[in-house]
Amino acid sequence: MRIAKKNSTVNAFTRLSMLLAGAGLAAATWAADPAPKDTTASNPLGGKAAPPAAAAKAAPGQPRQITWEELVPKDWDPAKEFKGMDLSALNDGDPRANELLMKMQEVSNNAPTNPSMNGADIKIPGFIVPLEEAKGEVTEFLLVPYFGACIHTPPPPANQILHVVTPKGAKFRAMDTVWVTGKLQTLRNDSMMGVSGYHVNATSVTKYTGGAK
């Protein structure tokens, strides 16, 4: 399912805010309770956000629990190319509005990854966007940081989408919240649901129940 492109100025504002909000500039949250339904781009899994420094340190031989913010290069500014633009000067149906949306999506699809994360054994929570299923189990999916991404809203930037493959299959549905554990690679993949900047060969996919469990 692809989100249809529209030409109105209202949609230009909405899609811009969604693309920028999904840039992962807020740290992932570690709630004490199960993730609530009312999640947002700035508050991915509900509860109080934890700064990057508060991320759990891995025990020797164990995967490191990471935040979505760590996947974004510190010097990347997705709004840089759009600063100074006056969207209010565009009328509904103005072809320039659609051109701007196309440019925003290009910036999002080409969002740079963090090379220091390549090869890391990680554990991260997120929402499932199924790509492939077999016998009622998801075998390939995108992991995204907030509810509705790629399905109800435009895809987040590529550095906020993980392409996950799990050989065992996982009994989850679209937008279920899960913990994914595995080796992270800076490897791009273009699927019908969005462009991912990272790949994970998952060793486990488990239900998210809140906190680092």
Side-chain angles (χ1 to χ4, degrees):
M1 181 188 307
R2 285 190 181 274
I3 304 298
K5 292 185 174 67
K6 300 180 182 179
N7 292 326
S8 71
T9 303
V10 172
N11 284 319
F13 276 116
T14 302
R15 290 171 67 88
L16 175 59
S17 64
M18 287 179 177
L19 288 170
L20 297 185
L25 301 181
T29 59
W30 315 115
D33 299 316
K37 294 181 180 179
D38 295 332
T39 52
T40 66
S42 60
N43 193 22
L45 295 176
K48 185 177 179 181
K57 292 183 179 180
Q62 296 297 314
R64 181 169 70 89
Q65 182 181 315
I66 66 169
T67 68
W68 286 89
E69 187 179 39
E70 292 178 78
L71 301 177
V72 181
K74 292 182 179 179
D75 58 351
W76 182 60
D77 180 7
K80 180 176 62 177
E81 296 188 43
F82 308 106
K83 289 177 180 177
M85 289 187 177
D86 183 10
L87 293 182
S88 64
L90 301 178
N91 297 319
D92 286 358
D94 190 324
R96 292 176 299 172
N98 193 55
E99 290 176 6
L100 180 57
L101 291 179
M102 295 289 285
K103 184 176 181 180
M104 286 188 289
Q105 193 63 61
E106 182 180 357
V107 170
S108 180
N109 289 345
N110 290 285
T113 54
N114 183 351
S116 68
M117 301 299 293
N118 189 44
D121 290 316
I122 58 93
K123 180 178 182 180
I124 188 170
F127 295 83
I128 281 184
V129 179
L131 294 178
E132 296 288 343
E133 296 181 293
K135 298 181 180 180
E137 295 185 334
V138 178
T139 56
E140 182 181 355
F141 61 90
L142 301 181
L143 190 73
V144 294
Y146 56 91
F147 187 88
C150 300
I151 295 179
H152 303 300
T153 68
N159 57 24
Q160 292 289 272
I161 302 180
L162 277 61
H163 176 221
V164 181
V165 175
T166 173
K168 297 181 180 180
K171 293 184 178 180
F172 293 104
R173 298 176 298 176
M175 288 295 119
D176 278 350
T177 47
V178 298
W179 286 103
V180 168
T181 302
K183 186 175 291 294
L184 186 69
Q185 293 177 287
T186 52
L187 182 65
R188 292 176 60 83
N189 181 68
D190 190 351
S191 75
M192 64 180 296
M193 302 302 289
V195 179
S196 54
Y198 293 94
H199 176 85
V200 177
N201 284 318
T203 55
S204 72
V205 180
T206 57
K207 183 179 179 180
Y208 178 87
T209 55
K213 297 180 180 180

